[in-house]
Structure formats: structure tokens, C-alpha cells
Amino acid sequence: MKPDLVSQTLKTYFIQKGKSLKTIQRYLNIKYRLYLDEKLLEKRLQSLLSQ
């Protein structure tokens, strides 16, 4: 299964580059017009790390 946009962004910017969730939230909002709650990003990150 191919990872979606949010998962790819979390992998690239949080895990590899060490950016904060607030920065990732702003990036997704500006670049892709996606507004995601920080709690949702935390939940997605936890599921990504538990794989």
C-alpha cells in the first residue's frame, strides 16, 4: 500500500529532518490547503512509529 500525503510528510519532515508538528501543520496548510488538527497529526505519527 502506498503511503498517503500526510504520512509521507510526517516521515520526511518529522522523523528525518526533526521539524515540529506545528511546522508540519503549517506546511500542509500552505502547500496543499489541508488543515489538520495537531491532535490528528500526533495520532497519525504514533501509528506511523508503531509500524
Side-chain angles (χ1 to χ4, degrees), residues 19-41:
K19 302 290 182 182
S20 70
L21 287 178
K22 195 72 168 169
T23 304
I24 294 169
Q25 185 181 23
R26 223 176 28 234
Y27 170 78
L28 289 171
N29 189 11
I30 291 170
K31 182 153 176 116
Y32 298 107
R33 302 272 187 226
L34 288 176
Y35 179 76
L36 300 173
D37 190 34
E38 199 167 344
K39 296 271 187 198
L40 178 64
L41 285 176

Side-chain angles (χ1 to χ4, degrees), residues 1-2 4 7-8 10-12 14 17 19-23 27 30-32 35 38-39 47-49 51:
M1 184 174 182
K2 197 172 190 178
D4 64 344
S7 295
Q8 288 176 346
L10 283 171
K11 268 186 190 175
T12 303
F14 189 83
K17 296 185 179 184
K19 302 290 182 182
S20 70
L21 287 178
K22 195 72 168 169
T23 304
Y27 170 78
I30 291 170
K31 182 153 176 116
Y32 298 107
Y35 179 76
E38 199 167 344
K39 296 271 187 198
S47 69
L48 189 65
L49 292 175
Q51 288 181 350

